[in-house]
Amino acid sequence: MYYPRKIEKQLKKNLRGEQAIIVTGMRRVGKTTILRELYKAVSDNKIWFDFENPLDVKYFEGIDYNDIYQNIVQKGNLNAQKRVYVFIDEVQLYPNISKVVKYLIDHYKVKFVLTGSASYYLKNLFPESLAGRKIIFEMYPLDFEEFLIFKEEHRERYQKIKNKKNITELDYELYDRYYQEFVEWGGFPEVALTNDNHAKQQRLEDIFSSYYQQEVVNLADYRKGHKVRDLIILLAARVGSQLDLVKLSQELQIQRTTIYAYLAFLQDTYFIHLVSKLSRSVDREVSGMQKIYFCDNGILKIMTRVSDGQLLENTVYNQLKIKGSINYFRKKSGAEIDFIIDKKTAYEVKRTASPVDVSRLVRIQRLAKLKKGFVVSQQYVKNEKGGIVFGQFL
């Protein structure tokens, strides 16, 4: 059964335009599935290629791009007088594809819809020469609302409750068990559709293995790939914490410049996210110590043992990142705010929030010169004076 993703409406809307659509994101988040849905949405004059198949790649290897176009038209028995829709999965496996895409967009009526597994490579594959000719969409693991759709929960009921000013305990209990599962196992689609915990674990191990082999080993071709693996394990234990690059360098026995390169790679392939400290100075923000979060709680869970608090904070980060840019706040005095969205709204994460937590956040908000703030609670508590939101309704 197919379950729709939120991004689908935007993608279908852009099928009408001339620009190439590029869907990128980490492996196994559902890019191929949504590409198939887009393919179905086009009635005719369309053709599908999968670059994991070397025979499909061969159609794009010619020196004369006009010949490539003719070969595509002939293979699909397409009408060259109408717009031709070319769907390609896993474009990162053929680095020269961007040149072909640019030429065919400029010279023929061709609409490209492409998927690629990592922004690290797509940034190089589709340089500024394609400016104005492409739209890039990023796909992530399921958010909680999408997770509920995969569990066949009533979407309209959830949205209605989410928009209420006061969430009752009954409202909360409707989704509590789902949110607990979401926090523990994350939002990869195939994991969400698996009910057995042992099978979930196996699927997550397979997802990580696929990422490591295809991105780290095959595409990045790092000579010391095991160092990247060891870094990932060290990072998992530090989720939600500031990174001390000196200590990481000492533990791994590699230079800090190499650590920087590995972190950039892991971030650009959607595996981790780095959050900078809030500062009114851009230079200080960039140079300050960053906090680390992982793409998905299920992946984090299989890396190393982490606390329930770390799992919750990582979940909330992934829920908030789609709302805007994220920073954190910390003073030497110990005053701290977990997340700040667009330098305006504060979020502090607690497994069980209390009015004391709300009062403390208000005080720190003033230090950070922020007007709004909320304490995110996983457990239900009465919220008589406001200031508390529940993770499942973010």
Side-chain angles (χ1 to χ4, degrees):
M1 182 173 177
Y2 174 72
Y3 298 96
R5 300 291 301 271
K6 288 180 178 178
I7 197 175
E8 186 177 321
K9 286 184 179 179
Q10 292 176 275
L11 291 169
K12 286 183 175 178
K13 182 179 179 181
N14 279 277
L15 280 173
R16 302 168 188 166
E18 295 181 358
Q19 296 166 305
I21 294 173
I22 304 170
V23 183
T24 184
M26 193 179 163
R27 289 183 170 275
R28 312 277 276 273
V29 293
K31 298 184 300 300
T32 301
T33 300
I34 207 162
L35 188 67
R36 290 195 186 103
E37 289 302 306
L38 296 175
Y39 185 80
K40 291 177 186 176
V42 176
S43 58
D44 61 1
N45 225 40
K46 59 187 179 180
I47 189 168
W48 177 285
F49 295 96
D50 180 352
F51 278 3
E52 287 190 324
N53 182 349
L55 295 178
D56 280 1
V57 175
K58 190 171 180 60
Y59 281 92
F60 295 84
E61 290 179 338
I63 297 174
D64 189 333
Y65 295 165
N66 297 300
D67 289 343
I68 290 176
Y69 175 74
Q70 295 301 328
N71 290 336
I72 290 171
V73 169
Q74 290 174 17
K75 181 180 190 297
N77 194 24
L78 306 176
N79 183 352
Q81 303 305 312
K82 296 169 58 179
R83 176 180 291 186
V84 172
Y85 287 83
V86 179
F87 292 79
I88 307 176
D89 200 16
E90 303 285 6
V91 293
Q92 79 283 351
L93 297 175
Y94 182 56
N96 288 330
I97 186 62
S98 64
K99 297 175 183 177
V100 181
V101 170
K102 179 181 182 298
Y103 185 87
L104 296 189
I105 288 175
D106 288 347
H107 294 83
Y108 297 97
K109 296 178 182 178
V110 181
K111 173 73 173 186
F112 282 96
V113 187
L114 318 168
T115 72
S117 64
S119 66
Y120 182 83
Y121 300 100
L122 289 174
K123 286 174 183 175
N124 296 325
L125 284 174
F126 296 95
E128 286 308 308
S129 60
L130 269 177
R133 299 177 181 86
K134 69 179 187 297
I135 306 176
I136 295 181
F137 294 88
E138 295 179 308
M139 277 191 77
Y140 297 100
L142 307 175
D143 66 21
F144 185 59
E145 187 174 335
E146 290 174 322
F147 182 85
L148 291 174
I149 292 170
F150 274 57
K151 295 295 183 182
E152 299 186 354
E153 276 295 307
H154 198 275
R155 182 177 187 177
E156 286 72 22
R157 180 176 68 172
Y158 171 78
Q159 290 176 330
K160 185 176 180 180
I161 293 173
K162 182 179 178 179
N163 292 329
K164 288 172 64 175
K165 289 185 177 179
N166 296 307
I167 303 295
T168 67
E169 190 168 3
L170 182 60
D171 294 332
Y172 171 89
E173 288 178 350
L174 284 172
Y175 303 104
D176 180 38
R177 67 184 178 90
Y178 291 116
Y179 193 65
Q180 287 184 30
E181 181 183 346
F182 184 66
V183 170
E184 184 175 4
W185 294 103
F188 276 100
E190 63 195 89
V191 177
L193 293 172
T194 303
N195 294 320
D196 178 72
N197 286 350
H198 179 68
K200 286 180 183 288
Q201 178 89 9
Q202 288 182 318
R203 289 185 182 275
L204 286 163
E205 289 173 357
D206 185 50
I207 290 169
F208 174 72
S209 176
S210 174
Y211 167 81
Y212 185 78
Q213 292 298 324
Q214 298 298 325
E215 310 288 9
V216 179
V217 177
N218 292 346
L219 289 177
D221 193 27
Y222 285 125
R223 286 178 296 174
K224 296 181 179 179
H226 65 285
K227 292 293 186 181
V228 182
R229 176 203 62 201
D230 294 345
L231 175 61
I232 289 171
I233 294 170
L234 291 176
L235 293 175
R238 290 165 168 79
V239 73
S241 301
Q242 289 179 315
L243 290 183
D244 187 331
L245 298 184
V246 174
K247 286 186 178 179
L248 287 172
S249 177
Q250 290 171 346
E251 288 189 56
L252 292 169
Q253 296 185 325
I254 55 179
Q255 294 182 343
R256 266 185 288 174
T257 53
T258 304
I259 296 283
Y260 280 120
Y262 289 169
L263 289 173
F265 168 80
L266 292 172
Q267 184 164 232
D268 285 340
T269 53
Y270 297 98
F271 195 80
I272 65 167
H273 303 277
L274 298 174
V275 176
S276 298
K277 185 177 178 181
L278 178 70
S279 174
R280 302 304 170 184
S281 164
V282 175
D283 291 338
R284 287 184 180 180
E285 189 170 295
V286 171
S287 63
M289 294 180 73
Q290 295 177 304
K291 290 172 68 174
I292 177 76
Y293 295 96
F294 270 60
C295 62
D296 179 80
N297 272 28
I299 290 292
L300 176 61
K301 181 184 174 70
I302 67 169
M303 291 293 104
T304 189
R305 185 183 296 275
V306 290
S307 69
D308 291 340
Q310 286 176 300
L311 284 174
L312 177 62
E313 188 173 332
N314 199 72
T315 301
V316 172
Y317 168 79
N318 281 305
Q319 290 177 274
L320 293 177
K321 73 174 185 289
I322 60 175
K323 296 180 182 291
S325 63
I326 299 187
N327 296 99
Y328 73 94
F329 178 81
R330 180 172 291 173
K331 300 286 282 185
K332 290 182 180 179
S333 63
E336 181 180 0
I337 299 173
D338 290 326
F339 304 115
I340 298 169
I341 306 297
D342 291 334
K343 299 186 178 182
K344 294 177 182 178
T345 308
Y347 289 88
E348 180 68 13
V349 182
K350 299 290 181 183
R351 292 202 69 217
T352 305
S354 70
V356 173
D357 294 320
V358 176
S359 299
R360 180 177 178 274
L361 179 59
V362 170
R363 290 196 301 272
I364 302 174
Q365 274 176 233
R366 292 171 184 156
L367 285 175
K369 299 180 181 179
L370 304 170
K371 293 183 179 180
K372 287 197 303 182
F374 303 93
V375 179
V376 182
S377 181
Q378 182 175 3
Q379 303 299 325
Y380 183 80
V381 292
K382 288 186 177 181
N383 190 25
E384 295 173 353
K385 295 183 179 180
I388 296 174
V389 295
F390 302 108
Q392 55 186 271
F393 298 112
L394 277 178

